[in-house]
Amino acid sequence: MSTNETSFKPALHVECRMRDTDGFVRPDRVREEVTEWICENFISLRIDQRLENYEELNHGGAIQSISVVGFSGVQEDSLFHRLADVQLDVQAYMLHPYVVDDHVSEVRPGQQHDDELKPKTRTMPLPSANIHGLWESFTTRMGIVIYWLNCIRELTSKVSMTKSQRLDPNIVSWNHLVLLYGPPGTGKSSLSRALAHKLTIRLGKYFLRGKLVEVDPQSLFSRYFGESGQLVAQIFEQINAMADDEACLICVVIDEVETLTSPRERAATGNECGDALRATNQLLTCIDALRHRPNIVLFCTSNMLQAIDSAFVDRIDIKQLVPNPCPRAIYEIFRTCINELLRTGVLVPSKSNNEDPNLNMRPESPLSQSVHDFVLIEPISIPRFAEMEIRLYDQPHAPARKLWIISQKADGLSGRTLRKLPFLALALYTFTEPSTIHEGLYALSLAVEHELRAYNPHDTDLSD
Ligand SMILES: Nc1ncnc2c1ncn2[C@@H]1O[C@H](COP(=O)(O)OP(=O)(O)OP(=O)(O)O)[C@@H](O)[C@H]1O
């Protein structure tokens, strides 16, 4: 098959997580060997599949896991893909260990004035154990996730093209700027970090390392009039210096970017101070200056798109609304929380037949035989939506089914609120310790109703 034919095929992404080998094993060698092994041993692959029996490979000892993580084609929601129809994209990476206290840019003790004039950033090497798994918690298969798949695909191709083809930024416009906007608590900041992590893995062919730089926008405002512009310039000087290492992908995250980019017309009419105007001007200049750096991507988040300067909005390459999670995403949020409560023993699997007659039927019982194939006897974790969807109506009492009904009811709540609810529900509505999974789910359903009433005080009938 010609190379041209291959490059037009959609990509199937496979991630190969390596053990820490102290640099003895090169990721590109692992990538090559795993690609060859997959082509020789598989006809098709399923999204989310974990590949086994790789230990026999020359680099098998250096591999911790191999998973099929995504597909960049038209039918992004289909689960099975024939290798003959795709371009295999294997990435080998090593996670940097968990960092408890992120590095905050240096400030010298005892220098009060100096401290205030230092913009604060946190840096973390990528890919990082701190962020690992975050992307997956957002990208439930199908549903709202499609735009994230598009977003990562667009970013990957733009960064890789500017890096490999050395495109002239004055001719091909790419400002390296992504804006995630939407209501509070929908996961914009977490998604920016998750995107940075994922992008570093996916671009492992082009960049040997990655770095996440999180800028605290509040620290860019000084109480000394006229200093804010300088602080912005200072932070971008630091970022520019980091980008001198061309083998490193620098992902910068600026939360609440509207604080730095308030519309300059407002300042001109006297409602905003001149210092803010200088900060906005400086930021725009710095963004323009970064355009020739193929290894920088800037992720910004905002709750208020209308409060951002139009010249900044005009420079944005990828602008993505992050809405409240849809029921499938809500199911995933609740599912991960409940599984964590089960894992730690805060919740326990069902103990008696009283709660759910189907659930504890013994497999030996002839009466149970017909339902046994479908029934979870002692669930130790709730399955993913994709796994339980086909069996949804066969098991009216299964925890997964109950959770799906609760998730549909919780539509409209923010991701932040949803993450709090399972734990809060146990504190408010259960009286035994530990509670069973069914008691926990009943409590969660009450907590959701309570929260919805707080959102819509006039809506009294929330039963389904
Ligand atoms: N769709 C979602 N899926 C999974 N978790 C989510 C989702 N939305 C929000 N969360 C969780 O909610 C919490 C808050 O997220 P985050 O701070 O990223 O939101 P935000 O949109 O940046 O909020 P704000 O605008 O108030 O700063 C995090 O723990 C995040 O994991």
Side-chain angles (χ1 to χ4, degrees):
M1 187 180 301
S2 74
T3 334
N4 277 352
E5 246 179 88
T6 318
S7 58
F8 283 119
K9 285 185 173 182
L12 185 65
H13 306 287
V14 174
E15 281 180 8
C16 174
R17 179 172 164 191
M18 293 168 59
R19 297 178 199 284
D20 189 357
T21 58
D22 262 342
F24 279 119
V25 180
R26 283 176 41 185
D28 54 337
R29 294 276 155 76
V30 175
R31 186 167 53 227
E32 277 163 26
E33 196 186 10
V34 170
T35 307
E36 209 170 290
W37 172 71
I38 293 178
C39 292
E40 280 170 9
N41 292 283
F42 295 84
I43 295 172
S44 68
L45 291 175
R46 179 176 51 80
I47 303 292
D48 288 342
Q49 184 177 349
R50 276 175 80 100
L51 309 188
E52 310 283 346
N53 305 323
Y54 50 78
E55 292 78 8
E56 302 301 309
L57 297 178
N58 289 339
H59 294 105
I63 298 173
Q64 186 154 341
S65 62
I66 305 179
S67 318
V68 184
V69 294
F71 173 71
S72 305
V74 182
Q75 286 185 311
E76 273 158 340
D77 55 359
S78 54
L79 287 181
F80 289 90
H81 298 281
R82 273 166 31 94
L83 291 189
D85 302 334
V86 296
Q87 197 189 143
L88 200 56
D89 172 41
V90 177
Q91 295 307 332
Y93 68 96
M94 221 178 292
L95 281 186
H96 287 272
Y98 192 83
V99 188
V100 182
D101 200 2
D102 303 343
H103 166 74
V104 176
S105 61
E106 207 182 303
V107 277
R108 272 168 287 154
Q111 299 209 358
Q112 195 58 31
H113 179 76
D114 245 24
D115 286 2
E116 293 192 16
L117 293 187
K118 287 239 186 239
K120 294 203 173 61
T121 58
R122 277 189 196 158
T123 59
M124 189 195 289
L126 291 175
S128 163
N130 290 50
I131 309 175
H132 197 59
L134 190 57
W135 172 261
E136 284 70 21
S137 77
F138 283 94
T139 54
T140 56
R141 301 285 337 135
M142 301 174 267
I144 59 148
V145 297
I146 298 304
Y147 55 72
W148 293 121
L149 301 179
N150 287 341
C151 190
I152 192 86
R153 183 165 60 166
E154 192 175 340
L155 267 173
T156 312
S157 59
K158 282 186 161 159
V159 180
S160 59
M161 262 155 55
T162 32
K163 168 86 176 161
S164 59
Q165 316 288 348
R166 290 258 162 216
L167 296 175
D168 183 345
N170 296 316
I171 299 171
V172 182
S173 176
W174 159 231
N175 294 307
H176 310 232
L177 203 53
V178 180
L179 176 72
L180 307 181
Y181 68 99
T186 49
K188 298 177 293 297
S189 322
S190 316
L191 264 163
S192 310
R193 303 171 104 220
L195 272 166
H197 175 82
K198 206 67 185 171
L199 195 64
T200 310
I201 295 178
R202 209 153 277 180
L203 291 173
K205 257 185 243 162
Y206 303 96
F207 301 99
L208 296 177
R209 301 175 273 288
K211 197 177 267 186
L212 177 70
V213 183
E214 295 182 272
V215 178
D216 172 9
Q218 305 302 336
S219 73
L220 295 178
F221 279 99
S222 163
R223 71 183 155 102
Y224 301 99
F225 190 78
E227 302 278 8
S228 299
Q230 268 182 35
L231 291 176
V232 172
Q234 213 175 315
I235 208 112
F236 276 85
E237 257 166 45
Q238 279 179 21
I239 293 168
N240 241 320
M242 288 179 200
D244 284 343
D245 175 4
E246 291 196 356
C248 183
L249 177 67
I250 313 284
C251 298
V252 184
V253 174
I254 307 180
D255 263 330
E256 298 163 23
V257 74
E258 70 275 359
T259 50
L260 274 181
T261 56
S262 51
R264 286 167 298 170
E265 305 85 54
R266 237 196 285 164
T269 54
N271 298 333
E272 202 92 9
C273 70
D275 199 34
L277 184 134
R278 267 187 286 269
T280 309
N281 280 341
Q282 189 61 56
L283 183 69
L284 295 175
T285 312
C286 292
I287 289 172
D288 289 343
L290 290 183
R291 283 176 62 188
H292 69 281
R293 296 283 195 179
N295 56 336
I296 296 184
V297 183
L298 228 68
F299 296 92
C300 302
T301 74
S302 175
N303 293 332
M304 294 183 276
L305 190 59
Q306 65 290 353
I308 301 181
D309 188 90
S310 55
F312 181 83
V313 176
D314 200 40
R315 283 168 171 74
I316 297 165
D317 301 283
I318 302 177
K319 199 189 316 166
Q320 183 62 61
L321 169 70
V322 185
N324 281 330
C326 68
R328 284 180 194 214
I330 296 174
Y331 177 92
E332 280 307 306
I333 296 175
F334 283 161
R335 183 186 78 87
T336 44
C337 294
I338 290 174
N339 284 350
E340 180 63 10
L341 295 173
L342 280 165
R343 190 188 66 79
T344 49
V346 177
L347 280 180
V348 291
S350 291
K351 287 175 290 198
S352 74
N353 290 353
N354 298 343
E355 292 172 307
D356 183 344
N358 278 341
L359 206 74
N360 290 312
M361 252 180 213
R362 312 258 2 130
E364 312 79 76
S365 151
L367 276 177
S368 71
Q369 215 57 59
S370 56
V371 287
H372 173 238
D373 285 347
F374 308 107
V375 167
L376 285 165
I377 305 257
E378 288 270 302
I380 45 159
S381 65
I382 298 186
R384 282 166 180 274
F385 188 84
E387 289 163 32
M388 71 97 180
E389 196 178 9
I390 38 169
R391 295 175 296 163
L392 199 62
Y393 295 97
D394 297 328
Q395 320 180 34
H397 300 285
R401 164 103 171 106
K402 289 182 178 175
L403 186 60
W404 174 233
I405 293 171
I406 300 171
S407 307
Q408 287 168 294
K409 209 189 274 180
D411 196 5
L413 297 177
S414 81
R416 183 179 281 131
T417 305
L418 292 164
R419 270 220 186 280
K420 277 189 236 161
L421 282 182
F423 198 48
L424 187 73
L426 292 188
L428 290 182
Y429 300 110
T430 59
F431 304 101
T432 52
E433 238 179 84
S435 302
T436 68
I437 187 168
H438 290 277
E439 287 164 344
L441 286 168
Y442 182 62
L444 178 59
S445 153
L446 294 178
V448 166
E449 283 179 15
H450 181 269
E451 198 62 38
L452 286 171
R453 246 181 243 117
Y455 269 56
N456 317 296
H458 303 301
D459 197 355
T460 45
D461 185 15
L462 293 163
S463 53
D464 43 313

